[in-house]
Amino acid sequence: MNRPLVGLVGAGGAVGSAALAQLLQHDLRVRGGQRQAQVWPDGVDGRVLDLFDAQALADFCAGCQVVLNCAGPSWRVGDRVAQAAHGAGAAYVDAFGNAALLSALQGARQPSIIGAGVFPGLTALLPRWLASRSFDRVSSLQINAGGREHCSNAGGADVLLSALGGFGTPNAHWVDGRVQTLAIEQQMQHLPGFPEAVFRSAYLTDELRRLASTLGVPQASFHNVFDHPQIPALIATLCQRLSQDPSALPHAVAQLVQAADLQLLGRRAYYRLSVELTGWGDGQAQRQRAVLSSQDSYGLSATIAVCATLQLLHDQSWRGAHWAGDCLPPATVIDAVQASTACQALSIVNLAVESVVSEEEGVL
């Protein structure tokens, strides 16, 4: 029997190159596509691929069982890769994606999993995993995600466009089924699990709303974390300009990428995803915090995308279009994350319910 063929679009990018390395660890054939010529690892059917050449994209997808898209930005890629994959009879996975893409794929005969990255994706899967381990009921959920890392051009574009209204509501959290506005935090602060003082910005994501509904959580919050307030301030300024002149996006992305790289000069990159749950389990109050540590988010995103790809390869019963954070089995994904080179540590801290004075920390 022939080994399954996976088509990887954007195989030379930050997420795509990490996904390529992970796919090659499985018993698969891999076809890699990238805009520019590059040297490919042994065994990869590497091709120069222009996403805006419909025939080239169709030829690339032909014969694939699953097509994994790691190219961005999402707003520019749209559903062109997904439609080419489905046209070739292949299932589709997108490491990024948005609500418009999900809606466009709902009626397709072939299955799709989108948002198969860190955010959205792992930012729902890690809370689901933590809740399943120790909680019968969750009363509050807090997520802090971010750090200091390189910003790719595609990632920068998605950050700016999502800040303009793509994935949720800025400066808000979820309370008893309603959106509640928060005051903007002004100070640097020390957050558990983060190696230094950081600046954070509240953002009520659409994913968090779905997660709160799934877990029955009355209070939920999500914060983007930055190593310096300069970055969120720049994002706000650039978004204001883009709201008046959308054609300025390439210049805005270049400014954001440059600012992120300047923050990295002479300093170590890091990424943290911290999830804290309060609730009840085994008849008593529980409070736990999970902190996932990595050098950057790109390798973690690749792991989630590969997990989604393997799910569609191994289970032919999938139908419809789904968010990765809603549909992937959390235990399987977290096992894969821990086994990946992208994961430096995953720690679980048991906290006192009324106060956070004493902590017992264990590394899984």
Side-chain angles (χ1 to χ4, degrees), residues 65-69 78-87 89-116 304-305 307-309 311-313 315-328:
Q65 279 69 57
V66 178
V67 173
L68 166 57
N69 177 47
D79 67 349
R80 68 183 68 250
V81 180
Q83 297 298 349
H86 288 172
Y92 179 70
V93 174
D94 201 313
F96 311 105
N98 51 38
L101 176 60
L102 188 80
S103 178
L105 299 179
Q106 285 292 2
R109 293 179 58 188
Q110 291 76 22
S112 300
I113 298 177
I114 74 168
I304 310 308
C307 281
T309 300
Q311 282 288 315
L312 294 181
L313 281 174
D315 185 352
Q316 304 298 316
S317 66
W318 282 79
R319 296 291 184 272
H322 310 270
W323 289 107
D326 299 347
C327 72
L328 293 180

Side-chain angles (χ1 to χ4, degrees), residues 255-295:
Q255 285 185 269
L256 181 57
V257 170
Q258 182 182 43
D261 285 345
L262 285 174
Q263 292 296 322
L264 270 174
L265 284 177
R267 307 169 76 189
R268 181 177 299 177
Y270 73 90
Y271 183 86
R272 299 290 185 272
L273 174 56
S274 172
V275 174
E276 187 172 311
L277 300 182
T278 302
W280 290 265
D282 294 329
Q284 59 184 353
Q286 302 274 0
R287 189 177 181 189
Q288 288 190 340
R289 180 189 304 126
V291 178
L292 176 61
S293 302
S294 180
Q295 180 175 336

Side-chain angles (χ1 to χ4, degrees), residues 19-349:
L20 178 62
Q22 293 187 33
L23 287 170
L24 291 174
Q25 297 174 13
H26 297 273
D27 188 25
L28 303 170
R29 292 178 295 147
V30 180
R31 178 180 294 160
Q34 179 63 18
R35 181 176 52 189
Q36 298 176 337
Q38 67 177 59
V39 177
W40 297 94
D42 291 342
V44 175
D45 175 14
R47 305 183 182 185
V48 174
L49 178 63
D50 180 358
L51 296 186
F52 297 91
D53 182 332
Q55 187 58 56
L57 194 53
D59 292 343
F60 179 87
C61 294
C64 293
Q65 279 69 57
V66 178
V67 173
L68 166 57
N69 177 47
C70 292
S74 298
W75 65 272
R76 190 161 185 256
V77 174
D79 67 349
R80 68 183 68 250
V81 180
Q83 297 298 349
H86 288 172
Y92 179 70
V93 174
D94 201 313
F96 311 105
N98 51 38
L101 176 60
L102 188 80
S103 178
L105 299 179
Q106 285 292 2
R109 293 179 58 188
Q110 291 76 22
S112 300
I113 298 177
I114 74 168
V118 167
F119 166 63
L122 188 57
T123 44
L125 290 161
L126 185 58
R128 287 176 57 205
W129 174 78
L130 187 62
S132 69
R133 295 177 76 252
S134 305
F135 291 84
D136 300 319
R137 180 158 59 97
V138 178
S139 59
S140 70
L141 161 64
Q142 300 177 46
I143 302 174
N144 292 301
R148 180 172 57 236
E149 62 178 348
H150 168 70
C151 179
S152 67
N153 287 327
D158 279 332
V159 164
L160 292 173
L161 293 172
S162 64
L164 281 169
F167 290 118
T169 307
N171 304 315
H173 64 167
W174 191 249
V175 179
D176 296 327
R178 299 189 306 274
V179 178
Q180 187 173 93
T181 302
L182 289 170
I184 299 176
E185 298 182 25
Q186 302 289 347
Q187 303 296 324
M188 299 283 285
Q189 57 186 296
H190 289 278
L191 296 177
F194 287 77
E196 57 193 48
V198 293
F199 183 88
R200 69 177 190 171
S201 175
Y203 193 76
L204 176 56
T205 68
D206 295 338
E207 179 184 66
L208 185 63
R209 292 197 201 193
R210 297 194 306 272
L211 181 62
S213 176
T214 299
L215 297 179
V217 180
Q219 297 186 34
S221 65
F222 178 95
H223 287 82
N224 286 309
V225 177
F226 307 90
D227 75 320
H228 194 279
Q230 175 188 349
I231 299 297
L234 176 61
I235 291 173
T237 299
L238 294 175
C239 285
Q240 185 175 13
R241 293 177 187 170
L242 289 172
S243 66
Q244 300 171 355
D245 180 13
S247 67
L249 181 63
H251 181 63
V253 169
Q255 285 185 269
L256 181 57
V257 170
Q258 182 182 43
D261 285 345
L262 285 174
Q263 292 296 322
L264 270 174
L265 284 177
R267 307 169 76 189
R268 181 177 299 177
Y270 73 90
Y271 183 86
R272 299 290 185 272
L273 174 56
S274 172
V275 174
E276 187 172 311
L277 300 182
T278 302
W280 290 265
D282 294 329
Q284 59 184 353
Q286 302 274 0
R287 189 177 181 189
Q288 288 190 340
R289 180 189 304 126
V291 178
L292 176 61
S293 302
S294 180
Q295 180 175 336
D296 59 53
S297 62
Y298 299 110
L300 294 173
S301 286
T303 301
I304 310 308
V306 170
C307 281
T309 300
L310 296 176
Q311 282 288 315
L312 294 181
L313 281 174
H314 297 155
D315 185 352
Q316 304 298 316
S317 66
W318 282 79
R319 296 291 184 272
H322 310 270
W323 289 107
D326 299 347
C327 72
L328 293 180
T332 300
V333 173
I334 300 305
D335 284 348
V337 167
Q338 289 184 269
S340 74
T341 57
C343 177
Q344 295 174 329
L346 175 59
S347 64
I348 304 296
V349 181

